[in-house]
Amino acid sequence: MTAAAHPGVPDAVRPADSDAVRVVYVEYVENLLADLQLERAGLPGRDPVPAARRARQAAGELADLGLDRFVAELLGETAPVPAPAAVLDLEADEEGRRTSYGIWCAEARELTDEVWRWLAERRRAAGELPWWCGESALPLPHDSVRRLAGVTAPVRDLSEIAAAWARPTGLRGSATAEYNWRWLLLGKGVLGPSGGLPGAEVSEALPPLNELITLLVGQARRRGLLPPAHQVKVLRRPNTPSMVMPVRLPGSSLLSLPTAVTPVTVQYLQHELAHLAEHALRPSDAPLLERWTFDPLRSEGWALLLERLAGSTAFLARLGIDEETAAVLARFHAEEERFSRGLMAADLALDADLAGCRTSAEALDAASAVAARTGLEWAPELLLLRQTRVLHWRSYLAGYAWRDTVRAELDARFGTGQSEGDGWADRDEAWALLRSALARTGPAGSATGFLDALRLPEPAPPHAPDITDITARPRPHEEAR
């Protein structure tokens, strides 16, 4: 590969030396991918030339790197996933939730035929691999595909948990209807009756978002999960799920978060910081395709491992949360995991049932039957809509089992006999070993390779950087946009 073969690299930066050419080329493509991510988030890139135009100019080279479908996905040129345009209102007013839920159901009902065609086409196009592997823009490790395909879980009756969450808010009767349980799932009202009343402010028991981001990013830095110079840029968007865009500028990540702080915000932030770390610790000399390829089983399992620490009362206390509130949050986080696992088990059950369906009407009937088994009586069109993310749900469910295997390895090696079972988290040697495992790419960076790395002699922990001020105040690059 030469710079002259790359139409997007300016003549002024085309050195003659082959190693230097490779460095320039790698930096160019990395920055191009970063700018594509930024443009997708509605932010300007560093280069004045639009990233989409540069990507089309470099289409051949990106295809040679195995990144063509990934880039097409960033450009919005792959087949779009059917999705409603409306945002479900998650505010405290029940009538408002009922109204927005009705809008969601109406939009999902209009999308039912499109969703069914989308799912049926992917099933028809599947070859040797399961149909949902086609959702991934990058190749999945075969061992992980086997684990993802084999994951199963019982579909639980979840109405009891939803009703228990509803009681502190004063909801009765329709408390487990979907327009309420989505709200309850965030932990609204879990800290007391005031949290569930119309017009109530965010509970003072939880840190404001800026403070929470600073505290959790500071903990990640102290553990070496984010290099000291790695910037975390934050986008705040109302009523949106958490997500991460691993933007390499280099040394920068983009974190999108809802505006409100709820009990699950602590978990969400921990989960997404794990994804940031997985990208930030990739070695700079790894091949480009390996730098941007992630095993979904390892990624979600690792994020679930870090997220689980947020259920520890000791961890919550380090965020300045009082003991009584920390105990309530820890209990809620355990219930939320059980509830979420039940929802994803229902998704997998429906995936299996849809294999025998021939029409969208039959698909809705199958969704209604699965919805009844949860006790929540979901609208079947919304349950069917969730099938477009079945790889994500499989990655979570398989990730829980993988996470527990990793915990067992860490506890056996570094555990201190603590009752909460995560004593390894207080050991610098454990974090050094995790960083080493996270930095592996290629076949060694798979879920299986990660487990293999945990059984190697642990590397010596590096000298901890001086970050005494990081939890004292928000850093400028960690402020909201």
Side-chain angles (χ1 to χ4, degrees):
M1 181 69 67
T2 65
H6 195 300
V9 178
D11 291 336
V13 295
R14 290 179 180 168
D17 178 74
S18 60
D19 288 339
V21 168
R22 188 188 72 82
V23 170
V24 171
Y25 178 71
V26 167
E27 289 180 353
Y28 175 81
V29 177
E30 285 262 60
N31 286 337
L32 171 59
L33 294 175
D35 282 358
L36 284 169
Q37 296 266 25
L38 289 169
E39 285 187 7
R40 186 171 64 162
L43 298 174
R46 295 199 308 177
D47 194 303
V49 179
R53 184 191 307 171
R54 287 149 50 206
R56 292 187 178 96
Q57 289 175 338
E61 285 77 7
L62 292 167
D64 290 341
L65 290 169
L67 293 167
D68 54 331
R69 183 173 174 192
F70 180 56
V71 171
E73 200 171 71
L74 295 177
L75 291 173
E77 294 175 348
T78 54
V81 178
V87 174
L88 184 63
D89 185 0
L90 297 177
E91 298 304 320
D93 175 62
E94 184 171 4
E95 189 56 40
R97 292 198 301 278
R98 188 191 302 271
T99 300
S100 64
Y101 174 75
I103 295 172
W104 252 60
C105 284
E107 287 198 17
R109 199 171 299 117
E110 291 179 359
L111 287 171
T112 294
D113 288 339
E114 183 182 347
V115 169
W116 175 246
R117 286 193 298 270
W118 188 91
L119 293 169
E121 176 58 34
R122 274 151 184 76
R123 286 180 182 274
R124 280 195 299 269
E128 295 180 1
L129 296 175
W131 73 266
W132 36 263
C133 285
E135 293 180 52
S136 176
L138 295 167
L140 275 61
H142 286 286
D143 188 55
S144 290
V145 170
R146 179 180 58 79
R147 294 194 195 194
L148 293 169
V151 65
T152 58
V155 180
R156 298 186 175 98
D157 181 345
L158 301 172
S159 57
E160 183 180 343
I161 294 179
W165 289 344
R167 289 185 196 110
T169 72
L171 296 175
R172 292 291 184 271
S174 61
T176 56
E178 187 164 7
Y179 54 82
N180 277 327
W181 71 250
R182 284 179 179 271
W183 181 71
L184 296 168
L185 187 58
L186 295 179
K188 298 281 191 173
V190 73
L191 297 179
S194 61
L197 295 177
E201 298 297 325
V202 173
S203 171
E204 294 182 1
L206 295 172
L209 187 58
N210 263 17
E211 182 183 345
L212 185 58
I213 292 169
T214 303
L215 289 166
L216 292 176
V217 170
Q219 290 198 23
R221 291 197 196 279
R222 281 196 296 276
R223 291 164 173 163
L225 297 179
L226 294 175
H230 189 92
Q231 295 186 334
V232 178
K233 299 181 182 296
V234 177
L235 284 175
R236 292 189 186 182
R237 292 174 172 171
N239 294 334
T240 57
S242 63
M243 63 175 294
V244 159
M245 291 185 177
V247 177
R248 278 299 256 236
L249 291 179
S252 178
S253 295
L254 186 65
L255 180 64
S256 175
L257 290 170
T259 52
V261 177
T262 67
V264 295
T265 307
V266 182
Q267 285 181 298
Y268 285 173
L269 267 169
Q270 274 288 93
H271 189 100
E272 300 307 327
L273 284 172
H275 289 316
L276 293 189
E278 188 179 23
H279 192 278
L281 295 176
R282 287 281 162 106
S284 59
D285 58 350
L288 271 173
L289 181 61
E290 292 186 6
R291 299 259 300 268
W292 289 86
T293 300
F294 295 89
D295 178 350
L297 174 56
R298 187 190 100 156
S299 291
E300 295 306 334
W302 153 244
L304 291 169
L305 177 73
L306 203 62
E307 174 190 309
R308 189 182 187 281
L309 298 180
S312 158
T313 53
F315 177 95
L316 295 168
R318 285 195 290 270
L319 298 180
I321 296 173
D322 66 87
E323 184 177 350
E324 182 179 355
T325 301
V328 172
L329 288 179
R331 185 179 69 249
F332 173 77
H333 287 164
E335 292 172 346
E336 190 274 339
E337 178 175 311
R338 181 187 167 197
F339 191 89
S340 295
R341 292 175 78 159
L343 296 183
M344 289 179 279
D347 291 316
L348 267 61
L350 179 56
D351 177 36
D353 292 347
L354 289 178
C357 296
R358 296 293 175 267
T359 66
S360 59
E362 291 180 2
L364 286 178
D365 287 342
S368 294
V370 172
R373 287 154 64 187
T374 65
L376 295 176
E377 299 295 343
W378 298 355
E381 55 268 27
L382 290 177
L383 189 59
L384 185 64
L385 189 65
R386 283 173 61 92
Q387 286 293 297
T388 60
R389 300 195 70 201
V390 77
L391 175 61
H392 193 60
W393 310 138
R394 284 183 179 276
S395 299
Y396 263 83
L397 278 177
Y400 283 116
W402 184 88
R403 174 202 69 180
D404 292 341
T405 301
V406 171
R407 286 184 60 231
E409 292 283 342
L410 293 170
D411 287 339
R413 193 162 181 172
F414 303 107
T416 59
Q418 292 185 359
S419 59
E420 291 186 281
D422 288 309
W424 60 267
D426 295 324
R427 300 284 297 276
D428 289 341
E429 300 93 329
W431 291 107
L433 190 59
L434 287 171
R435 290 193 300 271
S436 175
L438 286 169
R440 291 158 69 102
T441 59
S446 67
T448 299
F450 190 101
L451 288 171
D452 291 340
L454 295 185
R455 295 165 183 139
L456 297 173
E458 63 266 23
H463 176 70
D466 181 10
I467 53 170
T468 53
D469 68 329
I470 195 162
T471 59
R473 61 185 184 279
R475 292 158 62 107
H477 60 264
E478 285 156 7
E479 289 286 352
R481 291 292 294 261

